[in-house]
Amino acid sequence: MAATMEIRWAHKEDERWAATFKLHLVTEFHPPKGLADQVLSEVHEAVTETGQLASDLFGEPRAYAARVAADRIDETHTSGRDLGGATPGERFTNALTLAGFCALVLSVMHWVRDGLWTDVSVASLAGIGALAAGVLAGCLVGALHAAGRVQAARAWAGAAAVAVVAGITALATLPRHGLFALPVPVLVVVSAVVMAGAHKLPDATADRWFTRLRSEGSAQWMQHLDGLLRGPHGIPADQAREHVEEVRSHLASTPGLTAQDEFGDVEIYAARLAGGPRRTQRAQRRTAHLAGIFAAAIVIANLDALRSAEVTSIWFWFGALAVAYSLGYAAMQYRNFRHQR
């Protein structure tokens, strides 16, 4: 199979068409690995044989991406993934990898700014420990939400908030006199190990940590359906309850059958209910909301530095660029959501 980077398009129009097609297929429909390259190889073969443009043969690239997704992405692939196309295990490993990367960057910055050694105090031990626990709890939240375990995700979100508040309080109120000195490269190594370990952890292994045990009971099946619709598929709670009530009413009219017997695998059934054109709109809405939360967190994290640092300081401009990027990204995602609507 020819990879996209190996394809040489005869016309710039076809090259732009291929880039647009792949962008929409990958970002909106999250195909299995290799499908986008396979389709583009087939398109390249067709345009080479006929001498026509890809737009003449296959139409508008975004519409063709939707047709490819409908025809060639199996429901067993989409059923275990959330609106962003990730499995619970991928959510966990990606979040933990990002957390390790952020810790690595902060450790290196601390090394460059303050030198090789750092004083460890009661405040830093308790505060950083609590913040680390809060970050780990936050990584669990995304994975549990993607697995449809909404109540557990809310519980861990509460635990993450408590841990962060406790960490900030500890840093602000506990004694700051040094207990011992720690080489900053130790923090760099620990952060790098966390990042590399999370990146190397197989997503399938992490998936098993968050996937519920199969149950034949109709009550558990319907509870899981409700969680899947509200969690990974982003359907509002009232609509999810309506779907569950339809299943309950149907089972009441056909005694002797279980939900598993009548409707099959709960993940596939939830994916069928959540499919259609509104799925892309829900994905854009969720992305816009998360981008807004991310921007608010970046602004809060850098507010004190922007107020206290000199305008000529590199740290001032580092914080300013981070704030500008996060706000711009949030504005772009909100604009995309409005356009999609």
Side-chain angles (χ1 to χ4, degrees), residues 76-309:
T76 58
H77 172 76
T78 59
S79 61
R81 299 176 180 272
D82 62 11
L83 289 174
T87 66
E90 289 171 349
R91 284 292 176 209
F92 179 72
T93 56
N94 291 344
L96 194 57
T97 300
L98 178 60
F101 174 75
C102 292
L104 178 63
V105 171
L106 292 175
S107 300
V108 171
M109 289 173 57
H110 182 64
W111 189 355
V112 172
R113 184 178 59 186
D114 299 326
L116 183 62
W117 294 86
T118 184
D119 289 331
V120 178
S121 64
V122 175
S124 61
L125 274 177
I128 295 176
L131 290 175
V135 170
L136 179 59
C139 295
L140 293 173
V141 170
L144 290 168
H145 198 268
R149 302 171 65 175
V150 178
Q151 296 300 327
R154 289 178 177 174
W156 279 103
V162 170
V164 169
V165 171
I168 295 174
T169 303
L171 289 171
T173 60
L174 292 180
R176 293 177 174 271
H177 60 271
L179 298 176
F180 57 90
L182 180 71
V184 179
V186 172
L187 301 177
V188 174
V189 170
V190 171
S191 302
V193 168
V194 171
M195 181 182 69
H199 180 69
K200 292 293 185 180
L201 178 66
D203 294 325
T205 300
D207 280 333
R208 290 194 291 269
W209 298 347
F210 303 101
T211 303
R212 292 188 176 198
L213 297 175
R214 300 292 180 180
S215 174
E216 298 297 329
S218 294
Q220 292 83 358
W221 192 98
M222 288 185 286
Q223 182 182 13
H224 196 186
L225 174 64
D226 180 71
L228 289 170
L229 293 176
R230 294 164 58 193
H233 296 299
I235 290 180
D238 56 341
Q239 296 180 22
R241 283 194 295 269
E242 291 178 3
H243 288 302
V244 173
E245 285 302 319
E246 290 175 0
V247 171
R248 182 176 288 110
S249 300
H250 181 79
L251 292 178
S253 64
T254 55
L257 287 178
T258 65
Q260 181 74 28
D261 296 333
E262 187 70 6
F263 298 99
D265 184 86
V266 63
E267 291 185 345
I268 293 179
Y269 185 72
R272 290 172 180 170
L273 291 177
R278 293 185 66 84
R279 179 179 177 84
T280 302
Q281 182 179 337
R282 293 197 303 272
Q284 289 283 2
R285 179 183 61 192
R286 178 171 289 184
T287 301
H289 289 169
L290 291 177
I293 295 173
F294 171 74
I298 293 297
V299 170
I300 294 173
N302 289 277
L303 195 59
D304 184 65
L306 292 176
R307 285 201 307 251
S308 59

Side-chain angles (χ1 to χ4, degrees), residues 17-91:
W17 188 98
T20 304
F21 164 80
K22 187 170 185 179
L23 175 66
H24 286 295
L25 182 65
V26 172
T27 59
E28 294 184 19
F29 303 104
H30 314 288
K33 185 177 180 180
L35 178 60
D37 292 340
Q38 179 182 349
V39 173
L40 285 178
S41 179
E42 296 168 358
V43 170
H44 181 263
E45 182 178 354
V47 299
T48 301
E49 291 178 352
T50 63
Q52 299 184 53
L53 296 176
S55 57
D56 295 332
L57 292 175
F58 301 97
E60 196 269 331
R62 185 170 187 173
Y64 187 63
R67 293 201 301 272
V68 168
D71 295 339
R72 302 175 66 169
I73 298 180
D74 190 82
E75 61 185 8
T76 58
H77 172 76
T78 59
S79 61
R81 299 176 180 272
D82 62 11
L83 289 174
T87 66
E90 289 171 349
R91 284 292 176 209

